[in-house]
Amino acid sequence: MTPPASSPATFSSSSLKSTPRIRWATLPPPPTPWPNAFAAQVSTQRIIQVIGPNDRKRNLVVRYHGSAAHKPILLLGHLDVVEARHEDWSIDPFEFTEREGFFYGRGAQDMKSGDAILVTTLIRFKRENFQPDRDLILALTADEEGGKSNGVDWLLKNHRELVDAEFVLNSDGGGVYTRDGKPSIVTMDASEKLYSDFQLEVKNPGGHSSLPVPDNAIYRLSDALARLEHYKFPFELNDVTRTFFERTAPTEKGQNSADMKAIVKNPPSQEAIARLSANPLYNATMRTTCVATRLDAGHANNALPQDARAIVNCRILPGHTRQEIHDKLVQIFADPAVTVRYVSDSGEASDAPPNRPGFPPVTLRPDVMQPLEKISRSMWPGAPVIPTMATGASDAVYTDVVGMPTYGISGIAIEFGDVRAHGKDERVGVESYYQGVDFYYRYLKLLTSPGAAGRN
């Protein structure tokens, strides 16, 4: 699919194509080409800031002026990506590749495509001399995926005036799910799980490997992880996830549809819960999850291990605390030799997690939802708009708590079962990407046009 040279899709795909070549992974700390590169593209806008705590953790903030009839909207995206190793991919993860109807590259789904779409939207508005009914603030930030210098947190603490807004549209959430290429549902993240890392550690005197002993640090750690593997956190629905299954059920067929209807009953069907749990998305929507993600043990091939460590990543349902999950892990492992410590975003381990529960769902504002439903009906007829709880985490954790309600909204479509964010051969469909470009342009224009329906 090759768009006309003068079309919005052309300069949008040009923005996307440049991004995988700029290797901005959370580890090691990134240099600054991303914000500088985007600043060059939007230099026709009127207020641009490229700022951060240091030269390696900078954030792009652009203000597109409107009529100031209302408080601004903050358009949010992050610039960093998780690390990718060349040997794990079938292609170079940091080289943009178009193949068989897909754009490939680290960040194609999470979330360089969303960043490029937001930039494209403001450029199109400027070319048309469109004046929204309020200022639009674009913030593309560092360290969402982890690190010591989360850009949203830093901006709110040091330059709140640059990003202060009535509400936030976060393109790192929501989107369109398709089944066999046909749009099934349009999701909008109204809530999300609480992110938490825990370090497991077993220490041992060690010794010579020619004289093995039963008390082996690796074996004890492995036993603890095996107990976690076979443990399932309790089934639990909240208002958002209950609504998700209720509204998704009519779009499903056969057993899936029946099971979704059965789990929202009181009492829920345990058999239906078990069947739906086989689907990673539905399983993560129904419960807290904790999974081992990293291992490190031993110091020499010919020595008994003196230390064995693992990282367990938890995504905690709203209403529960990190301390509660920490205590549950200790109970699951049932071994005093296995210490469990909380790991902060900066990588520092501590005995006590911070006391911060997940935040409640945002209020569904009519001025946000009505334009979303209208544009979605025109682009994906028959696919209902459904508020969801993100099974992952985003920078909404910073904006929601300071009184800036955050809505995860994207127009990019992904096939059920093809979510490759953080994984091998990450990709986004070419047609899906261009539809996402069209969606955000149409949605944001309707949302900010003077006299738009649904305005509070």
Side-chain angles (χ1 to χ4, degrees), residues 108-154:
Q109 288 185 7
D110 186 13
M111 60 161 296
K112 291 179 176 180
S113 53
D115 295 331
I117 286 171
L118 293 177
V119 170
T120 298
T121 300
L122 292 190
I123 291 174
R124 293 178 73 179
F125 283 177
K126 179 62 179 177
R127 289 183 175 184
E128 297 173 1
N129 292 317
F130 172 68
Q131 185 181 49
D133 63 0
R134 56 179 73 197
D135 287 0
L136 301 175
I137 305 168
L138 171 65
L140 302 180
T141 63
D143 276 9
E144 190 273 348
E145 300 290 2
K148 298 181 180 180
S149 304
N150 179 276
V152 175
D153 185 38
W154 185 86

Side-chain angles (χ1 to χ4, degrees), residues 353-404:
N355 183 22
R356 186 180 69 185
F359 50 85
V362 295
T363 300
L364 302 183
R365 298 171 56 114
D367 54 346
V368 172
M369 297 303 298
Q370 290 180 10
L372 175 61
E373 291 166 349
K374 182 175 182 178
I375 299 301
S376 296
R377 281 195 302 269
S378 67
M379 295 187 67
W380 304 288
V385 175
I386 303 177
T388 56
M389 176 194 70
T391 57
S394 78
D395 282 329
V397 69
Y398 300 106
T399 49
D400 270 313
V401 297
V402 297
M404 293 161 56

Side-chain angles (χ1 to χ4, degrees), residues 87-363:
E87 60 268 27
D88 292 341
W89 284 49
S90 65
I91 56 176
D92 184 344
F94 294 101
E95 182 68 28
F96 178 87
T97 302
E98 182 176 351
R99 186 175 70 186
E100 298 177 347
F102 290 91
F103 292 140
Y104 287 84
R106 174 55 88 219
Q109 288 185 7
D110 186 13
M111 60 161 296
K112 291 179 176 180
S113 53
D115 295 331
I117 286 171
L118 293 177
V119 170
T120 298
T121 300
L122 292 190
I123 291 174
R124 293 178 73 179
F125 283 177
K126 179 62 179 177
R127 289 183 175 184
E128 297 173 1
N129 292 317
F130 172 68
Q131 185 181 49
D133 63 0
R134 56 179 73 197
D135 287 0
L136 301 175
I137 305 168
L138 171 65
L140 302 180
T141 63
D143 276 9
E144 190 273 348
E145 300 290 2
K148 298 181 180 180
S149 304
N150 179 276
V152 175
D153 185 38
W154 185 86
L155 286 167
L156 288 170
K157 289 177 178 176
N158 295 277
H159 293 280
R160 173 71 180 261
E161 76 283 357
L162 294 180
V163 293
D164 195 37
E166 184 173 352
F167 59 87
V168 182
L169 301 181
N170 182 9
S171 63
D172 190 24
V176 183
Y177 278 107
T178 62
R179 200 177 296 282
D180 298 324
K182 181 180 179 180
S184 179
I185 59 175
V186 179
T187 65
M188 186 280 293
D189 289 351
S191 178
E192 66 180 45
K193 286 179 153 182
L194 182 63
Y195 180 103
S196 190
D197 286 324
F198 294 96
Q199 179 195 80
L200 282 54
E201 185 171 26
V202 178
K203 289 184 176 292
N204 195 282
H208 201 286
S209 62
S210 67
L211 300 172
V213 296
D215 189 12
N216 183 296
I218 292 177
Y219 294 159
R220 295 195 78 155
L221 181 64
S222 298
D223 288 343
L225 292 175
R227 287 191 282 273
L228 177 62
E229 176 190 6
H230 296 293
Y231 179 81
K232 281 191 177 296
F233 283 84
F235 167 83
E236 182 180 336
L237 295 181
N238 54 43
D239 290 343
V240 172
T241 56
R242 183 177 298 277
T243 300
F244 169 77
F245 284 114
E246 288 173 341
R247 295 188 184 180
T248 303
T251 72
E252 295 276 356
K253 297 179 180 179
Q255 191 68 61
N256 262 6
S257 179
D259 286 344
M260 289 183 180
K261 295 173 183 177
I263 68 170
V264 298
K265 293 181 179 179
N266 189 16
S269 165
Q270 295 302 312
E271 293 80 9
I273 292 171
R275 284 189 292 267
L276 288 176
S277 294
N279 180 295
L281 174 62
Y282 301 151
N283 177 65
T285 303
M286 295 188 292
R287 55 173 51 91
T288 291
T289 61
C290 289
V291 61
T293 56
R294 303 184 75 174
L295 282 169
D296 181 28
H299 61 282
N301 291 350
N302 58 356
L304 300 178
Q306 297 177 11
D307 187 77
R309 298 182 183 184
I311 294 295
V312 168
N313 177 254
C314 296
R315 307 299 176 116
I316 304 169
L317 286 175
H320 297 274
T321 66
R322 293 183 171 107
Q323 185 65 55
E324 178 185 345
I325 301 306
H326 169 277
D327 295 345
K328 186 63 180 180
L329 291 175
V330 172
Q331 180 185 346
I332 293 168
F333 301 144
D335 185 348
V338 180
T339 62
V340 181
R341 307 183 75 200
Y342 171 77
V343 181
S344 70
D345 289 342
S346 62
E348 298 175 355
S350 60
D351 293 330
N355 183 22
R356 186 180 69 185
F359 50 85
V362 295
T363 300

Side-chain angles (χ1 to χ4, degrees), residues 24-26 79-83 94 106-107 110-112 145:
W24 191 335
T26 297
L79 297 174
D80 60 323
V81 299
V82 298
E83 186 58 274
F94 294 101
R106 174 55 88 219
D110 186 13
M111 60 161 296
K112 291 179 176 180
E145 300 290 2

